[in-house]
Amino acid sequence: MKLGITGKAKSGKTTLFNAVTGQNADINLYDVKQEPNLGVVLVPDERIDKLSNIYKPQKTIFATIEFLDFPAMTEDTENHEFLSATSMALLKNTDALAIILRNFTNTILDETKGKSNPINDLNDILIEFIYSDILITEKRLEKIELNFKRGVKDATTILEEKTLKKCLEFLHKEIPIREANLADDELRIIKGFHFLSLKPVMIILNSDENNFGQNQEIITNLSKIAPVYEFAGKFELELSILSDEEAKDFMEDIGISESAVIRIIKNAYDLLGYISFFTVGEDEVRAWTIQKGDNALTAAGKIHTDLARGFIRAETFKYEDLISLGSEKVIREKGLFRLEGKTYIVQDGDIIFVRFNV
């Protein structure tokens, strides 16, 4: 799963990327990078830690998210900022987007780009997404119309045309497609277009240490669009290079219980609509990622295709029951160990063993 970090130039995208991934991608006030940075991040999950303490496995494997730090919006001669065609194409391959907004003072940036204005910056970026989707939609509708005139017409294409016209109505009103309340069959038929305004979005407000925690009005306005997380870039970057013990002491000194980076990672996982189920044993304790609503057969296929192909039953019990009762033996005695079929909807925190025969 991939989460793309985007925003205007010098908004702190790469600072966020470095703080989240622990990498050291170049941060330069004057240069604008041309290629995206890529980093894989473990999703913090205390359940994995507790399961490892119980089973003492040889390996412990957390769920992961790929973070991609994309080239910033560029500026033309008329001071209009836009996303390049290359950035647009790359963004389309992400599962969700994190939009970072500048909310800090910098003498050079204030003089060259003006004082920070997160609300305006967000509107500029969202309009770029909408314009991109309009171009794709209109181009496809023209092709469908041409095919209809040639007599090439079927039920699938008729539904596609209807869905795209519905999307276009919203886009022309500058409303993102994700607010169009599309039905499942409509979503399936436009999935291949990778519309930017359909992707889940989170907003990262990049404040400086002087105004961090004092931006409730801005956050309230931004949160009407998408979930908002305030982030003090310089502080979080410093925090990311400390040891766990040093970071804990540092946060205690300034009265913070959890790094903003941890909250961003955890909420990115939720934003993407994912849940975790677990496999456990002496060899390995592992978190597996599936979409909320996926069934046991899909979960089995995540572990190995053979398990899905030869699926018989899923033996499952709940993480919470294991923690409260202390052992699988007691879970069985209490009748909380279940056998589920292919259509069972896996719940977040399920511990699963797949019975199969190939």
Side-chain angles (χ1 to χ4, degrees):
M1 51 187 154
K2 297 179 181 179
L3 186 135
I5 304 171
T6 188
K8 291 191 173 184
K10 312 310 172 192
S11 58
K13 295 186 309 83
T14 306
T15 299
L16 171 64
F17 174 82
N18 285 342
V20 169
T21 64
Q23 293 192 28
N24 190 31
D26 185 45
I27 300 172
N28 189 304
L29 188 60
Y30 300 99
D31 294 336
V32 177
K33 63 184 174 59
Q34 301 301 317
E35 298 295 330
N37 298 311
L38 170 63
V40 179
V41 177
L42 301 181
V43 179
D45 192 334
E46 65 177 12
R47 295 175 299 180
I48 287 287
D49 295 321
K50 290 181 178 179
L51 288 171
S52 292
N53 286 334
I54 293 171
Y55 288 93
K56 311 296 183 187
Q58 296 179 27
K59 289 191 297 183
T60 299
I61 302 176
F62 288 78
T64 60
I65 298 176
E66 287 185 35
F67 279 79
L68 291 92
D69 169 29
F70 286 97
M73 297 178 74
T74 54
E75 193 171 89
D76 61 18
T77 54
E78 297 179 354
N79 296 321
H80 168 68
E81 291 187 282
F82 61 95
L83 285 160
S84 69
T86 301
S87 290
M88 286 289 193
L90 291 169
L91 282 171
K92 289 180 187 301
N93 291 320
T94 61
D95 299 303
L97 300 170
I99 300 173
I100 189 160
L101 305 172
R102 179 165 75 96
N103 188 44
F104 56 85
T105 299
N106 178 284
T107 303
I108 296 173
L109 294 178
D110 289 350
E111 290 178 357
T112 56
K113 295 183 175 294
K115 292 185 177 180
S116 63
N117 191 326
I119 304 293
N120 285 354
D121 288 350
L122 178 64
N123 288 335
D124 289 346
I125 293 166
L126 295 179
I127 288 297
E128 282 294 307
F129 293 169
I130 285 172
Y131 286 169
S132 170
D133 290 350
I134 287 175
L135 290 173
I136 293 169
T137 305
E138 290 181 339
K139 186 176 180 180
R140 177 56 184 163
L141 283 171
E142 287 173 5
K143 188 171 182 180
I144 289 174
E145 184 180 359
L146 183 60
N147 287 337
F148 283 176
K149 288 178 179 178
R150 292 172 176 168
V152 181
K153 199 170 189 178
D154 56 45
T156 300
T157 312
I158 290 170
L159 176 59
E160 183 184 352
E161 181 197 37
K162 179 184 175 183
T163 304
L164 289 174
K165 284 183 175 179
K166 181 177 179 179
C167 292
L168 200 57
E169 287 180 16
F170 280 83
L171 293 170
H172 280 157
K173 296 174 185 176
E174 297 185 350
I175 300 173
I177 295 173
R178 64 179 166 273
E179 295 184 18
N181 295 319
L182 298 179
D184 289 344
D185 59 341
E186 293 174 321
L187 288 170
R188 278 194 298 271
I189 209 159
I190 65 169
K191 183 178 180 181
F193 294 107
H194 302 289
F195 288 126
L196 293 176
S197 73
L198 182 58
K199 294 182 184 295
V201 167
M202 68 161 59
I203 298 167
I204 313 296
L205 185 66
N206 188 13
S207 304
D208 58 33
E209 293 178 45
N210 296 325
N211 69 355
F212 183 84
Q214 303 171 33
N215 300 287
Q216 192 53 53
E217 183 177 352
I218 295 173
I219 290 172
T220 299
N221 288 326
L222 293 173
S223 63
K224 296 174 184 176
I225 307 298
V228 182
Y229 306 96
E230 191 171 18
F231 169 83
K234 288 178 66 178
F235 167 77
E236 293 288 346
L237 199 55
E238 292 173 9
L239 197 62
S240 68
I241 62 177
L242 298 176
S243 68
D244 291 344
E245 193 62 36
E246 290 172 330
K248 182 180 177 182
D249 291 341
F250 192 14
M251 288 189 291
E252 285 178 356
D253 287 343
I254 60 173
I256 295 176
S257 60
E258 186 177 54
S259 162
V261 164
I262 299 299
R263 286 189 288 113
I264 289 168
I265 294 170
K266 287 179 178 177
N267 285 286
Y269 195 72
D270 292 336
L271 180 71
L272 291 162
Y274 292 124
I275 62 171
S276 292
F277 72 91
F278 308 118
T279 53
V280 296
E282 294 180 356
D283 292 336
E284 179 182 278
V285 165
R286 181 167 183 162
W288 298 89
T289 301
I290 56 173
Q291 285 279 349
K292 190 178 296 182
D294 281 347
N295 60 30
L297 186 63
T298 301
K302 285 286 181 180
I303 301 170
H304 197 284
T305 53
D306 283 350
L307 271 65
R309 188 158 57 92
F311 184 95
I312 300 173
R313 285 285 186 272
E315 299 180 348
T316 182
F317 56 93
K318 295 186 178 301
Y319 162 83
E320 292 82 2
D321 291 337
L322 176 63
I323 298 303
S324 63
L325 298 175
S327 73
E328 291 182 29
K329 181 176 181 293
V330 180
I331 287 174
R332 289 179 185 275
E333 290 171 352
K334 296 284 186 180
L336 298 173
F337 198 98
R338 311 183 315 277
L339 290 178
E340 301 287 359
K342 294 179 180 180
T343 59
Y344 167 71
I345 302 303
V346 177
Q347 303 299 306
D348 185 52
D350 276 352
I351 297 172
I352 292 177
F353 300 89
V354 178
R355 290 184 183 179
F356 71 107
N357 182 31
V358 178

